[in-house]
Amino acid sequence: FQAQMLSAKLAGALDSLAYDIDIDKGFIVACLKRTLALVNRLIADSDAVERKGLLERERLSYFRRNMMEIREEILRLMTMYRKQVT
């Protein structure tokens, strides 16, 4: 569920960019900031999955790497849009 919420929140934050709609950059940063909580929760929840042995280590490692990459990209975008706000 958290991964689906993350997708929806990212789409909401970045949707206007796909259509070249000029939107308040501060709003984009705020939306992206909210997605960080979901990414962090997904990463933390993966620890419980590992403890319970619900997924192979390789698959779980792949998932965590992807979540970290998404997190880094969110942070990069937030930095970029913060610079445009000021």
Side-chain angles (χ1 to χ4, degrees):
F1 176 75
Q2 298 298 328
Q4 290 173 335
M5 284 295 296
L6 175 61
S7 299
K9 296 286 185 184
L10 284 172
L14 303 173
D15 183 58
S16 61
L17 302 176
Y19 300 103
D20 291 328
I21 298 171
D22 189 28
I23 193 163
D24 178 21
K25 306 302 189 239
F27 175 76
I28 294 173
V29 171
C31 289
L32 289 172
K33 188 174 180 180
R34 289 183 200 110
T35 66
L36 282 177
L38 291 169
V39 172
N40 292 336
R41 196 169 320 143
L42 280 164
I43 294 168
D45 288 348
S46 70
D47 292 338
V49 171
E50 183 177 34
R51 280 192 306 275
K52 292 180 182 183
L54 299 174
L55 281 177
E56 304 159 0
R57 275 187 192 260
E58 187 176 298
R59 289 185 73 180
L60 194 54
S61 178
Y62 177 76
F63 172 80
R64 286 178 176 153
R65 273 194 314 275
N66 283 329
M67 288 300 106
M68 292 304 291
E69 288 172 5
I70 290 169
R71 186 177 189 285
E72 290 302 314
E73 184 62 17
I74 290 168
L75 291 170
R76 187 190 71 75
L77 288 170
M78 287 174 64
T79 300
M80 181 181 81
Y81 286 115
R82 277 188 179 126
K83 288 178 183 175
Q84 293 178 14
V85 171
T86 57

